[in-house]
Amino acid sequence: MNRLTLVDAHAHLDLLGDAEEKISRATSLGVLAVIGVSMGAASMERTLGLGKRFPGIVLPALGLHPWQIDQEDVDEALETMEQNLEAAVAVGEIGLDYKLKTKKSIQKELFARQLHLAVEHALPVILHCRYSHQRVFEMVDGADVPGAVFHWYAGPLELIDKIVQRGDFISATPALAYSRMHQEAIRSAPLEHILLETDCPVAYEGEEATPSTVVRVCEQVASLKGCSSSEVAGRTTENMERFLGRACPWGGA
Ligand SMILES: [Zn+2]
């Protein structure tokens, strides 16, 4: 039997215990690459370090997460980011979280600055949106970023059409096991616009995810879509090639 070839589109590798062992295990199961997203300056440094340990496998994304605004020196973090974007495949995890106490105006300003950096460096973006999907979409569309993935999408279904029209993506997580909103989003999006991810080390129903958990996400998407896991794996890996563009390390189309 052919084993699946998969990509984990969103992993917090810097927060994962025994990250190196878990990355190696994932590659032995057919995980071709893992996008390591960042939250702030220290997180970016650790993610870049793992990118050097696993060249072509751990693909770093650099960004300042809205959750970190109050914990970080924003200007310094953005400087770290800008200095290292040459080694990154994407900008992320960035976005807006309207459940936070942090003022919307402050969040939007930071988000806009990072969208600007993404455009300047011709990099796609990995987006966090909570109660902010419409606004995040408008800002991404307005900035004309080269590509975007709306991570762990559980937002309005109407917005999916616009995301698809822009040629962008939404990503599926292990929360498909229990989240109705997430299931409905993945069911209504065309497979050509879906990426698979684990958001590890997030725990789903008490079980901590690792990059290997992407195998299960692939099966979950296959059962929602009524197709085979190998079709989902093949299609989503092609999608990742489109998302990464020239930064895709495995050749692609
Ligand atoms: Zn995340």
Side-chain angles (χ1 to χ4, degrees):
M1 203 177 94
N2 286 336
R3 84 185 174 165
L4 304 173
T5 301
L6 295 161
V7 179
D8 181 354
H10 188 120
H12 295 268
L13 298 175
D14 61 305
L15 302 176
L16 197 63
D18 303 317
E20 302 193 2
E21 196 187 307
K22 287 172 184 163
I23 294 161
S24 301
R25 183 173 142 69
T27 59
S28 75
L29 292 174
V31 175
L32 197 59
V34 182
I35 310 270
V37 296
S38 312
M39 302 281 287
S43 166
M44 291 184 223
E45 306 277 5
R46 287 195 295 270
T47 305
L48 286 163
L50 284 165
K52 283 192 188 129
R53 288 295 296 268
F54 295 90
I57 295 169
V58 169
L59 311 178
L62 304 182
L64 184 53
H65 197 288
W67 293 354
Q68 293 298 110
I69 292 177
D70 299 330
Q71 275 84 268
E72 303 252 348
D73 179 327
V74 168
D75 291 321
E76 212 174 276
L78 291 187
E79 213 176 290
T80 303
M81 180 178 160
E82 200 170 355
Q83 279 164 5
N84 290 288
L85 278 175
E86 291 288 307
V89 299
V91 169
E93 177 176 352
I94 63 170
L96 303 173
D97 193 323
Y98 284 175
K99 228 185 163 180
L100 287 182
K101 288 206 180 82
T102 315
K103 272 192 180 160
K104 290 179 184 177
S105 58
I106 293 175
Q107 292 194 46
K108 282 193 280 190
E109 195 208 325
L110 173 66
F111 184 40
R113 284 172 74 183
Q114 296 188 92
L115 289 174
H116 181 74
L117 282 174
V119 171
E120 219 173 63
H121 292 260
L123 290 170
V125 294
I126 298 168
L127 301 164
H128 172 96
C129 12
R130 204 159 51 144
Y131 299 107
S132 60
H133 292 82
Q134 187 64 40
R135 175 67 66 210
V136 168
F137 177 81
E138 285 164 11
M139 288 179 70
V140 165
D141 196 39
D144 205 17
V145 292
V149 54
F150 291 73
H151 132 79
W152 194 333
Y153 193 89
L157 295 181
E158 313 84 71
L159 198 57
I160 294 176
D161 288 341
K162 293 186 185 167
I163 292 170
V164 166
Q165 272 165 30
R166 255 191 52 87
D168 291 335
F169 302 91
I170 66 172
S171 54
T173 73
L176 281 178
Y178 55 84
S179 164
R180 277 275 300 278
M181 274 170 81
H182 191 39
Q183 288 165 2
E184 278 170 25
I186 296 302
R187 199 180 282 121
S188 61
L191 191 52
E192 290 74 15
H193 294 273
I194 293 173
L195 300 175
L196 309 177
E197 60 148 306
T198 64
D199 204 15
C200 65
V202 166
Y204 301 88
E205 295 179 311
E207 195 193 327
E208 199 175 271
T210 74
S212 303
T213 312
V214 73
V215 176
R216 194 163 79 220
V217 182
C218 178
E219 288 161 1
Q220 288 167 323
V221 172
S223 98
L224 269 178
K225 293 290 194 192
C227 63
S228 68
S229 293
S230 64
E231 189 180 346
V232 172
R235 188 72 73 175
T236 54
T237 299
E238 279 172 31
N239 296 345
M240 182 53 83
E241 290 168 12
R242 291 205 321 275
F243 176 74
L244 293 173
R246 63 186 162 77
C248 182
W250 62 87

